[in-house]
Amino acid sequence: MINVLFSAPDDDWANYQTALEAAFAASGLNVALSRDHAPEDTDYIIFTPTGPVTDFTPFTRCKLVMGLWAGVESIVDNATLTQPLARMVDDSLTQGMVEWVVGHTMRHHLNLDRHILAPDAEWDPVFPPLSKDRPVTILGLGALGAACGQALAKLGFPVTGWSRTPKTIDGITCLSGPEVLLGALSTAQIVVLLLPLTDETENVLNAQSLAALPEGAVILNPGRGALIDDDALLAALDTGQIGHATLDVFRTEPLPVDNPYWHDPKVTVTPHIASVTRPASAAEVIADNISRGETDEPFLHLVDRQAGY
Ligand code: NAP
């Protein structure tokens, strides 16, 4: 019997229990899934930072901690976590993000607000450029950034992507390293942030990098709030250097009611809904990793604790 501890809030248990049990059965895994296994009896932990386990020290035989979230910034520095950590990479999470990014890119590319929000009986045709004339830069070329970049490239957008290490991805001009960041931004009419939050990526959009963008550029941030220096962004929106920012993630969530982002007409706030882990597909990913652990194959989606993601 494999003991799998589910350490996440009640709502998650209600959403995930059936899907996990089905995925374990389909994989032929003999799993006891519980919220109450004793630490010393636990083989695997399914985890969110909002669940009860915060000290991993007593989980002496645990082979793998499997996060339900893609972002790991709130667990990666936990000194008690000596077990391997896997983050969530799930096709449905990726698909949701692709749809959010493509949708918000198309909103700005086609200037959809002009006719949806301002129907003032004015017949004033302005034709948008074709996508081939609208360069997009994606910061972060991981599971999500690469998929979004490829979807935009298929629609004809010239896509530049930026990552920490060199990459080759069909349809995307790939750049890497801090020294080329400003160059990657210099052509971007739309910038998408899909970086993890680490010491290196915090405030990656700041006064200097915002100034490197073409005037009127649009920011889409479904990554993490602290990727952006908020004061610098508000100032750049004021001057028109940035034309609009569509923000899904914030330093403090829920976004406080007095936060200026709520009231700035050049800012669209979405309440951290760009994408979400879906139980059915996530359960298959979890079952796959447990199968790997039981047959001594390498785990998938392991977090590099040194790099912080
Ligand atoms: P991932 O697969 O780990 O990819 C991260 C990418 O960022 C990689 O390309 C990585 O470069 C790059 N990167 C990391 N540090 C960098 C640095 N210092 N300089 C340049 N590039 C750097 O992550 P993912 O699955 O795509 O997810 C990205 C983020 O999206 C998550 O961390 C999470 O914060 C956010 N997210 C948000 C939502 C939402 O609903 N809003 C949902 C899911 C995820 P390498 O390729 O060289 O490693």
Side-chain angles (χ1 to χ4, degrees):
M1 183 67 78
I2 307 161
N3 288 333
V4 177
L5 176 70
F6 190 87
S7 177
D10 294 350
D11 285 358
D12 287 328
W13 179 245
N15 287 333
Y16 276 91
Q17 183 186 7
T18 308
L20 285 166
E21 285 170 351
F24 295 148
S27 303
L29 292 168
N30 192 12
V31 167
L33 176 68
S34 167
R35 305 178 81 185
D36 298 318
H37 287 307
E40 62 277 14
D41 296 333
T42 296
D43 297 303
Y44 297 87
I45 303 175
I46 297 170
F47 171 86
T48 70
T50 46
V53 173
T54 52
D55 179 3
F56 294 87
T57 317
F59 293 90
T60 45
R61 79 176 209 199
C62 174
K63 294 182 190 171
L64 179 67
V65 175
M66 296 171 285
L68 288 179
W69 297 1
V72 292
E73 69 277 2
S74 51
I75 185 189
V76 79
D77 290 333
N78 185 326
T80 70
L81 180 65
T82 53
Q83 301 83 350
L85 170 66
R87 65 195 194 85
M88 183 48 67
V89 177
D90 154 36
D91 287 348
S92 301
L93 181 77
T94 303
Q95 179 62 22
M97 186 60 79
V98 167
E99 292 180 14
W100 188 93
V101 167
V102 169
H104 286 279
T105 298
M106 293 310 281
R107 169 193 175 193
H108 294 294
H109 170 57
L110 297 176
N111 196 7
L112 295 177
D113 291 7
R114 184 157 188 260
H115 303 296
I116 293 171
L117 299 179
D120 44 8
E122 190 186 352
W123 188 272
D124 179 20
V126 177
F127 293 96
L130 289 176
S131 56
K132 71 180 178 56
D133 297 318
R134 181 83 73 190
V136 177
T137 291
I138 304 202
L139 304 187
L141 284 177
L144 301 178
C148 293
Q150 288 194 303
L152 291 171
K154 279 195 188 129
L155 289 170
F157 293 95
V159 178
T160 299
W162 183 70
S163 56
R164 190 171 60 92
T165 58
K167 297 237 145 359
T168 307
I169 302 172
D170 270 357
I172 302 179
T173 302
C174 296
L175 304 174
S176 59
E179 61 287 354
V180 297
L181 171 64
L182 298 186
L185 294 173
S186 65
T187 54
Q189 292 184 21
I190 298 177
V191 180
V192 184
L193 301 186
L194 276 168
L195 293 161
L197 179 59
T198 67
D199 291 346
E200 281 74 41
T201 62
E202 182 165 6
N203 292 328
V204 67
L205 280 196
N206 52 35
Q208 186 199 18
S209 50
L210 289 166
L213 286 160
E215 191 178 349
V218 166
I219 313 281
L220 307 182
N221 185 15
R224 282 292 181 264
L227 297 174
I228 297 179
D229 175 336
D230 294 318
D231 291 339
L233 175 57
L234 287 163
L237 287 160
D238 265 358
T239 63
Q241 168 59 15
I242 299 302
H244 196 98
T246 295
L247 309 174
D248 185 59
V249 283
F250 305 90
R251 282 169 198 267
T252 305
E253 295 180 7
L255 186 65
V257 285
D258 58 350
N259 188 290
Y261 284 144
W262 281 118
H263 311 292
D264 192 319
K266 292 181 177 174
V267 175
T268 300
V269 171
T270 63
H272 204 141
I273 45 86
S275 193
V276 69
T277 310
R278 320 265 164 172
S281 48
E284 288 173 15
V285 175
I286 287 167
D288 184 17
N289 249 346
I290 294 177
S291 297
R292 287 167 171 271
E294 296 308 292
T295 51
D296 290 329
E297 282 177 76
F299 290 123
L300 295 176
H301 316 311
L302 285 179
V303 171
D304 175 343
R305 304 287 296 278
Q306 205 67 32
Y309 66 96

